[in-house]
PDB file of all heavy atoms in Angstrom:
ATOM      1  N   THR V 921      -1.921  21.655  -0.799  1.00  0.00           N
ATOM      2  CA  THR V 921      -2.996  21.124  -1.634  1.00  0.00           C
ATOM      3  C   THR V 921      -4.202  20.765  -0.767  1.00  0.00           C
ATOM      4  O   THR V 921      -4.067  20.564   0.436  1.00  0.00           O
ATOM      5  CB  THR V 921      -2.535  19.845  -2.360  1.00  0.00           C
ATOM      6  OG1 THR V 921      -2.020  18.941  -1.389  1.00  0.00           O
ATOM      7  CG2 THR V 921      -1.479  20.140  -3.399  1.00  0.00           C
ATOM      8  N   CYS V 922      -5.340  20.679  -1.400  1.00  0.00           N
ATOM      9  CA  CYS V 922      -6.559  20.256  -0.704  1.00  0.00           C
ATOM     10  C   CYS V 922      -6.431  18.768  -0.395  1.00  0.00           C
ATOM     11  O   CYS V 922      -6.006  17.998  -1.253  1.00  0.00           O
ATOM     12  CB  CYS V 922      -7.765  20.516  -1.599  1.00  0.00           C
ATOM     13  SG  CYS V 922      -9.273  19.734  -1.014  1.00  0.00           S
ATOM     14  N   CYS V 923      -6.802  18.353   0.817  1.00  0.00           N
ATOM     15  CA  CYS V 923      -6.628  16.935   1.170  1.00  0.00           C
ATOM     16  C   CYS V 923      -7.717  16.068   0.552  1.00  0.00           C
ATOM     17  O   CYS V 923      -7.620  14.854   0.547  1.00  0.00           O
ATOM     18  CB  CYS V 923      -6.563  16.736   2.673  1.00  0.00           C
ATOM     19  SG  CYS V 923      -8.116  16.981   3.503  1.00  0.00           S
ATOM     20  N   LYS V 924      -8.754  16.684   0.029  1.00  0.00           N
ATOM     21  CA  LYS V 924      -9.817  15.895  -0.602  1.00  0.00           C
ATOM     22  C   LYS V 924      -9.575  15.744  -2.106  1.00  0.00           C
ATOM     23  O   LYS V 924      -9.703  14.667  -2.666  1.00  0.00           O
ATOM     24  CB  LYS V 924     -11.179  16.568  -0.391  1.00  0.00           C
ATOM     25  CG  LYS V 924     -11.737  16.362   0.994  1.00  0.00           C
ATOM     26  CD  LYS V 924     -12.395  14.990   1.147  1.00  0.00           C
ATOM     27  CE  LYS V 924     -12.756  14.703   2.590  1.00  0.00           C
ATOM     28  NZ  LYS V 924     -11.779  13.963   3.354  1.00  0.00           N
ATOM     29  N   CYS V 925      -9.270  16.871  -2.802  1.00  0.00           N
ATOM     30  CA  CYS V 925      -9.218  16.787  -4.268  1.00  0.00           C
ATOM     31  C   CYS V 925      -7.827  17.096  -4.842  1.00  0.00           C
ATOM     32  O   CYS V 925      -7.664  17.127  -6.071  1.00  0.00           O
ATOM     33  CB  CYS V 925     -10.281  17.694  -4.884  1.00  0.00           C
ATOM     34  SG  CYS V 925      -9.892  19.442  -4.743  1.00  0.00           S
ATOM     35  N   ASN V 926      -6.844  17.344  -3.950  1.00  0.00           N
ATOM     36  CA  ASN V 926      -5.445  17.494  -4.377  1.00  0.00           C
ATOM     37  C   ASN V 926      -5.108  18.752  -5.173  1.00  0.00           C
ATOM     38  O   ASN V 926      -3.992  18.883  -5.658  1.00  0.00           O
ATOM     39  CB  ASN V 926      -4.990  16.290  -5.209  1.00  0.00           C
ATOM     40  CG  ASN V 926      -4.735  15.092  -4.328  1.00  0.00           C
ATOM     41  OD1 ASN V 926      -4.415  15.259  -3.146  1.00  0.00           O
ATOM     42  ND2 ASN V 926      -4.899  13.907  -4.870  1.00  0.00           N
ATOM     43  N   THR V 927      -6.057  19.665  -5.346  1.00  0.00           N
ATOM     44  CA  THR V 927      -5.742  20.859  -6.122  1.00  0.00           C
ATOM     45  C   THR V 927      -4.862  21.816  -5.295  1.00  0.00           C
ATOM     46  O   THR V 927      -4.886  21.794  -4.059  1.00  0.00           O
ATOM     47  CB  THR V 927      -7.024  21.606  -6.545  1.00  0.00           C
ATOM     48  OG1 THR V 927      -6.655  22.770  -7.273  1.00  0.00           O
ATOM     49  CG2 THR V 927      -7.843  22.054  -5.353  1.00  0.00           C
ATOM     50  N   SER V 929      -5.362  24.950  -5.651  1.00  0.00           N
ATOM     51  CA  SER V 929      -6.206  26.157  -5.543  1.00  0.00           C
ATOM     52  C   SER V 929      -6.847  26.259  -4.169  1.00  0.00           C
ATOM     53  O   SER V 929      -8.041  26.050  -4.010  1.00  0.00           O
ATOM     54  CB  SER V 929      -7.320  26.127  -6.592  1.00  0.00           C
ATOM     55  OG  SER V 929      -6.797  25.822  -7.839  1.00  0.00           O
ATOM     56  N   VAL V 930      -6.014  26.528  -3.189  1.00  0.00           N
ATOM     57  CA  VAL V 930      -6.541  26.676  -1.828  1.00  0.00           C
ATOM     58  C   VAL V 930      -6.147  28.059  -1.317  1.00  0.00           C
ATOM     59  O   VAL V 930      -5.164  28.646  -1.768  1.00  0.00           O
ATOM     60  CB  VAL V 930      -5.959  25.596  -0.881  1.00  0.00           C
ATOM     61  CG1 VAL V 930      -6.547  24.234  -1.176  1.00  0.00           C
ATOM     62  CG2 VAL V 930      -4.435  25.543  -0.971  1.00  0.00           C
ATOM     63  N   ILE V 938      -9.129  26.785   2.766  1.00  0.00           N
ATOM     64  CA  ILE V 938     -10.374  26.532   2.039  1.00  0.00           C
ATOM     65  C   ILE V 938     -10.069  26.213   0.581  1.00  0.00           C
ATOM     66  O   ILE V 938      -9.304  26.922  -0.090  1.00  0.00           O
ATOM     67  CB  ILE V 938     -11.316  27.748   2.134  1.00  0.00           C
ATOM     68  CG1 ILE V 938     -11.653  27.987   3.604  1.00  0.00           C
ATOM     69  CG2 ILE V 938     -12.595  27.508   1.334  1.00  0.00           C
ATOM     70  CD1 ILE V 938     -12.434  29.254   3.859  1.00  0.00           C
ATOM     71  N   CYS V 939     -10.658  25.120   0.089  1.00  0.00           N
ATOM     72  CA  CYS V 939     -10.401  24.703  -1.285  1.00  0.00           C
ATOM     73  C   CYS V 939     -11.298  25.472  -2.246  1.00  0.00           C
ATOM     74  O   CYS V 939     -12.514  25.539  -2.057  1.00  0.00           O
ATOM     75  CB  CYS V 939     -10.654  23.198  -1.415  1.00  0.00           C
ATOM     76  SG  CYS V 939     -10.464  22.618  -3.103  1.00  0.00           S
ATOM     77  N   GLY V 940     -10.682  26.020  -3.284  1.00  0.00           N
ATOM     78  CA  GLY V 940     -11.431  26.781  -4.269  1.00  0.00           C
ATOM     79  C   GLY V 940     -12.150  25.886  -5.264  1.00  0.00           C
ATOM     80  O   GLY V 940     -12.988  26.344  -6.041  1.00  0.00           O
ATOM     81  N   LYS V 941     -11.798  24.593  -5.250  1.00  0.00           N
ATOM     82  CA  LYS V 941     -12.407  23.694  -6.232  1.00  0.00           C
ATOM     83  C   LYS V 941     -13.575  22.909  -5.617  1.00  0.00           C
ATOM     84  O   LYS V 941     -14.674  22.908  -6.146  1.00  0.00           O
ATOM     85  CB  LYS V 941     -11.330  22.727  -6.738  1.00  0.00           C
ATOM     86  CG  LYS V 941     -11.681  22.049  -8.047  1.00  0.00           C
ATOM     87  CD  LYS V 941     -10.442  21.319  -8.585  1.00  0.00           C
ATOM     88  CE  LYS V 941     -10.833  20.098  -9.389  1.00  0.00           C
ATOM     89  NZ  LYS V 941      -9.678  19.186  -9.547  1.00  0.00           N
ATOM     90  N   CYS V 942     -13.301  22.245  -4.473  1.00  0.00           N
ATOM     91  CA  CYS V 942     -14.375  21.398  -3.901  1.00  0.00           C
ATOM     92  C   CYS V 942     -14.972  22.007  -2.638  1.00  0.00           C
ATOM     93  O   CYS V 942     -15.931  21.480  -2.087  1.00  0.00           O
ATOM     94  CB  CYS V 942     -13.867  19.984  -3.630  1.00  0.00           C
ATOM     95  SG  CYS V 942     -12.810  19.827  -2.176  1.00  0.00           S
ATOM     96  N   GLY V 943     -14.381  23.107  -2.161  1.00  0.00           N
ATOM     97  CA  GLY V 943     -14.969  23.786  -1.002  1.00  0.00           C
ATOM     98  C   GLY V 943     -14.595  23.192   0.346  1.00  0.00           C
ATOM     99  O   GLY V 943     -15.026  23.670   1.385  1.00  0.00           O
ATOM    100  N   PHE V 944     -13.750  22.154   0.338  1.00  0.00           N
ATOM    101  CA  PHE V 944     -13.391  21.520   1.605  1.00  0.00           C
ATOM    102  C   PHE V 944     -12.608  22.473   2.514  1.00  0.00           C
ATOM    103  O   PHE V 944     -11.779  23.244   2.044  1.00  0.00           O
ATOM    104  CB  PHE V 944     -12.579  20.247   1.350  1.00  0.00           C
ATOM    105  CG  PHE V 944     -12.365  19.430   2.584  1.00  0.00           C
ATOM    106  CD1 PHE V 944     -13.385  18.628   3.081  1.00  0.00           C
ATOM    107  CD2 PHE V 944     -11.159  19.475   3.275  1.00  0.00           C
ATOM    108  CE1 PHE V 944     -13.204  17.872   4.238  1.00  0.00           C
ATOM    109  CE2 PHE V 944     -10.971  18.735   4.433  1.00  0.00           C
ATOM    110  CZ  PHE V 944     -11.993  17.929   4.911  1.00  0.00           C
ATOM    111  N   GLU V 945     -12.926  22.414   3.801  1.00  0.00           N
ATOM    112  CA  GLU V 945     -12.230  23.272   4.761  1.00  0.00           C
ATOM    113  C   GLU V 945     -11.422  22.420   5.738  1.00  0.00           C
ATOM    114  O   GLU V 945     -11.908  21.396   6.211  1.00  0.00           O
ATOM    115  CB  GLU V 945     -13.240  24.112   5.554  1.00  0.00           C
ATOM    116  CG  GLU V 945     -14.004  25.081   4.678  1.00  0.00           C
ATOM    117  CD  GLU V 945     -14.943  25.977   5.492  1.00  0.00           C
ATOM    118  OE1 GLU V 945     -14.923  25.897   6.734  1.00  0.00           O
ATOM    119  OE2 GLU V 945     -15.676  26.748   4.855  1.00  0.00           O
TER     120      GLU V 945
HETATM  121 ZN1   ZN Y1411     -10.628  20.344  -2.769  1.00  0.00          ZN
END
Side-chain angles (χ1 to χ4, degrees):
T921 53
C922 168
C923 71
K924 283 280 171 266
C925 72
N926 284 333
T927 179
S929 311
V930 288
I938 299 173
C939 176
K941 199 170 150 197
C942 75
F944 189 78
E945 296 184 5

